[in-house]
Amino acid sequence: MNIFEKIEYAKQFSLNRESLDRQLMIDLLSIPLDSPAIDALGKAAFEVAQTITEKRAYLWGAMGVDFKACPMNCDFCSLGKKWGLVEVERDFSEAEIIGNVRYYVENTVRWIVLRTTEFYSLDVLESLIQTIRKEVQGTYEIGLNVGEFDVTKAHELSRRGVDFIYHSLRLGEGKDTRFQKEDRIATLNACKNSPLKLVFLVEPVGIEHTNEEIADICQMTIDFGAIVSGAMARVPVKGTPLGELPQISDQRLAQIIAVTRLACGYKVPGICVHPASELAIQFGANVVVIETGAIPRDACCFPNEKWKQFDVNVAKQWFQNNGYTVHQTENDSTSM
């Protein structure tokens, strides 16, 4: 088959609820960005996305709740203690966190995740989430992006009001991070064997990662039963070990989104891109992230503003431009 036939083959497999094999994912990821086949790939993924999602898009709000130096020292993360980029540490107050959650809820955000450094207390977060539930009414889903935990803690988090977990086996895990792959996978299994839903992106994608590595992590997102997959670029932060390596282009990130969309098919209907671009939406993404607070992709924290000035208004406009409507729940009939 030539590459255009492979794209059509992948499209039909996806629409027929069948899985793409690893080699086909690699072949699609290997298409040169200046090839006419890239446009064909994007078109196929967009058509699959519109069919699978029924033109429903969703917003994801993320807030980093502690701007603190982290002893894990991941080579791409601005919060690594060794890099010395966190000069004045702070925890966001309960009132600040609730205020941001309220903003998200009032602006049609479906998934709201509280992100912390590795050793932030899960007990504190459990209590905080119960307070948020009391203070902010709505149909939103709330989740955590935190350190490692076992299946017992996963069940406890679910009982305390946590809907989902963001967790991943990162590209370069164990080399660019100080984590053991086995520990990360154990937490993924804890989620899989509990009521918690899982959000798992292919990340942080850089120019240093191979198509084979990307395909393998994409397959893992399916195998672990993620409700949202997709891809997140590694954003260079000067002063970190990977800070001088350039960020992948919007075109490359869109290509990865397209392949993820075709590979995940009906199994993972939510495909997220971060940082967001309208091109990635045109290549199959139907979820984008609005960030605030402590952000590992930046040397600053953002108490009151959104990272890169990307807010719900821009996100909604991009989705509207491409035929989507933004919904706050999976089955609601109203949209914004």
Side-chain angles (χ1 to χ4, degrees):
M1 288 189 290
N2 64 37
I3 192 61
F4 291 97
E5 291 170 331
K6 288 180 179 179
I7 291 169
E8 182 62 26
Y9 181 79
K11 174 185 170 182
Q12 294 307 319
F13 253 54
S14 190
L15 291 174
N16 290 334
R17 302 175 185 268
E18 299 179 70
S19 299
L20 305 192
D21 64 41
R22 180 177 186 267
Q23 188 56 54
L24 181 53
M25 282 192 273
I26 293 168
D27 291 345
L28 299 180
L29 288 165
S30 301
I31 298 172
L33 294 178
D34 59 356
S35 166
I38 281 290
D39 292 333
L41 175 67
K43 182 180 178 181
F46 183 75
E47 291 174 2
V48 168
Q50 296 264 293
T51 299
I52 289 174
T53 67
E54 299 179 338
K55 302 182 181 180
R56 298 172 70 92
Y58 302 101
L59 305 181
W60 169 359
M63 182 181 185
V65 301
D66 62 327
F67 185 64
K68 290 187 174 180
C70 176
M72 297 310 291
N73 298 312
C74 295
D75 289 350
F76 44 77
C77 179
S78 65
L79 303 179
K81 185 175 182 179
K82 281 187 178 180
W83 325 142
L85 299 177
V86 179
E87 295 180 351
V88 180
E89 294 188 341
R90 66 166 293 184
D91 284 309
F92 285 85
S93 69
E94 185 176 280
E96 287 175 307
I97 294 167
I98 289 171
N100 275 291
V101 170
R102 184 171 286 113
Y103 165 85
Y104 287 136
V105 173
E106 290 174 351
N107 285 278
T108 333
V109 172
R110 175 179 175 181
W111 295 293
I112 301 169
V113 62
L114 304 181
R115 181 179 55 237
T116 72
T117 51
E118 180 68 11
F119 300 107
Y120 197 95
S121 169
L122 288 177
D123 292 337
V124 169
L125 289 169
E126 288 174 11
S127 176
L128 175 60
I129 283 178
Q130 290 180 306
T131 301
I132 290 170
R133 292 289 193 193
K134 292 176 183 176
E135 294 292 329
V136 185
Q137 301 302 308
T139 55
Y140 61 96
E141 298 175 51
I142 195 160
L144 299 175
N145 180 355
V146 294
E148 312 309 314
F149 54 84
D150 60 18
V151 69
T152 300
K153 175 57 75 171
H155 281 272
E156 181 182 341
L157 291 171
S158 177
R159 288 193 299 271
R160 294 294 187 92
V162 179
D163 295 304
F164 69 94
I165 293 292
Y166 180 86
H167 205 73
S168 68
L169 182 72
R170 279 82 59 90
L171 290 159
E173 198 78 80
K175 176 174 71 72
D176 299 329
T177 76
R178 314 288 83 81
F179 290 81
Q180 297 296 316
K181 290 183 179 180
E182 295 78 11
D183 293 339
R184 300 288 292 184
I185 291 172
T187 301
L188 290 168
N189 275 315
C191 292
K192 187 176 182 179
N193 295 310
S194 78
L196 294 172
K197 299 172 185 176
L198 175 67
V199 177
F200 180 176
L201 303 190
V202 180
E203 58 106 341
V205 186
I207 61 170
E208 64 274 22
H209 300 123
T210 67
N211 293 325
E212 289 78 6
E213 290 176 293
I214 293 168
D216 288 342
I217 298 297
C218 179
Q219 184 60 53
M220 283 187 70
T221 72
I222 301 168
D223 294 343
F224 277 99
I227 61 164
V228 178
S229 182
M232 176 165 56
R234 177 184 52 73
V235 177
V237 180
K238 288 187 177 181
T240 64
L242 294 176
E244 298 304 318
L245 288 181
Q247 186 171 333
I248 61 173
S249 67
D250 284 352
Q251 290 79 9
R252 175 57 170 165
L253 184 56
Q255 177 184 25
I256 296 167
I257 286 295
V259 175
T260 304
R261 167 61 72 189
L262 294 171
C264 290
Y266 279 91
K267 293 179 181 178
V268 192
I271 298 296
C272 178
V273 61
H274 194 52
S277 74
E278 191 167 5
L279 180 64
I281 292 170
Q282 295 163 355
F283 273 56
N286 72 314
V287 182
V288 296
V289 183
I290 294 96
E291 281 199 283
T292 192
I295 296 173
R297 286 162 289 284
D298 205 299
C300 299
C301 69
F302 301 85
N304 302 307
E305 58 194 283
K306 304 300 175 283
W307 187 56
K308 303 290 187 183
Q309 292 78 54
F310 182 71
D311 62 16
V312 294
N313 294 322
V314 177
K316 289 177 180 180
Q317 186 61 59
W318 285 357
F319 281 126
Q320 182 179 333
N321 292 348
N322 292 282
Y324 286 94
T325 54
V326 172
H327 293 258
Q328 194 156 30
T329 68
E330 184 177 3
N331 299 309
D332 67 319
S333 58
T334 59
S335 61
M336 296 288 288

